[in-house]
Amino acid sequence: MLIGAALTPAAARRWPRQVLITVAIGIVGCVILAASQLAVLAGVLLLWVVGGAANAVGTIAHETLLQETTPDGLRGRVLAASDAILDGAFLFGALCGGALGSLVGVRPALAGCGAILLGAALLSHILLRAGAPRKIAPGTTHRHKPISAETA
C-alpha cells in the first residue's frame, strides 16, 4: 500500500479521481482473479503487492474526491456515512465469500470475487464515459458550481 500511496500524487495530477478509482477497482479485480488460480505462495504475495498498491491509489482517490466535493459543514457526516457503508460492504462480502467458499471451494469463490470487481470497474468505466469526468476543484460539485453547507 505504501507503493500506491507514493504513486497517487503523480497519478492524481494526470487523471481525474473517478478514473483512478475505476482503474484501481479493475486492477484489484484482476489481482484477485489471478491469485485464485495460483498455487504458489510467492506468486500470490507478489500479486498482493500489486493489489495493495492499486487499493491504496483507489482509497486515496475516493477519500480525496469526497473531501473535495463535500461542503465543510457536511464533511464529517458524509465521510462517516461512507466509512459505515464500506465497512458494512466488507463484512457482507466476507460473509458471502465464506459461505460461497464452503459451497464451491475457495478458488472459485475468489475467482467470482475478482469477476465481480471487474464487472464493477467495467460499469464504472461505462458510466464515466457517458458523463466524461473532469478534474474537480475543491469546493465545487461535479458540475463546477460552488457549493456551501447552506445550499447542500
Side-chain angles (χ1 to χ4, degrees):
M1 289 191 75
L2 292 175
I3 295 168
L7 295 173
T8 301
R13 284 190 294 275
R14 184 169 183 153
W15 296 291
R17 308 220 191 301
Q18 303 94 319
V19 171
L20 293 178
I21 296 165
T22 300
V23 171
I25 292 169
I27 291 172
V28 171
C30 287
V31 163
I32 292 172
L33 191 57
S36 75
Q37 305 305 309
L38 291 180
V40 179
L41 181 60
V44 173
L45 291 176
L46 180 61
L47 284 171
W48 272 183
V49 169
V50 173
N55 185 51
V57 171
T59 299
I60 293 167
H62 167 257
E63 293 290 333
T64 302
L65 183 64
L66 285 178
Q67 291 175 16
E68 289 177 344
T69 58
T70 303
D72 290 341
L74 299 175
R75 192 166 292 134
R77 286 178 273 177
V78 168
L79 293 174
S82 174
D83 286 349
I85 291 167
L86 287 173
D87 288 347
F90 293 147
L91 290 172
F92 183 71
L95 176 68
C96 292
L100 188 60
S102 294
L103 290 174
V104 300
V106 173
R107 286 185 182 199
L110 283 173
C113 175
I116 289 169
L117 287 172
L118 286 173
L122 178 62
L123 177 61
S124 179
H125 172 73
I126 290 167
L127 293 173
L128 289 176
R129 296 272 302 176
R134 294 165 287 196
K135 295 236 179 208
I136 297 177
T140 60
T141 67
H142 66 285
R143 292 187 182 93
H144 294 271
K145 293 179 184 173
I147 56 178
S148 67
E150 295 81 35
T151 60

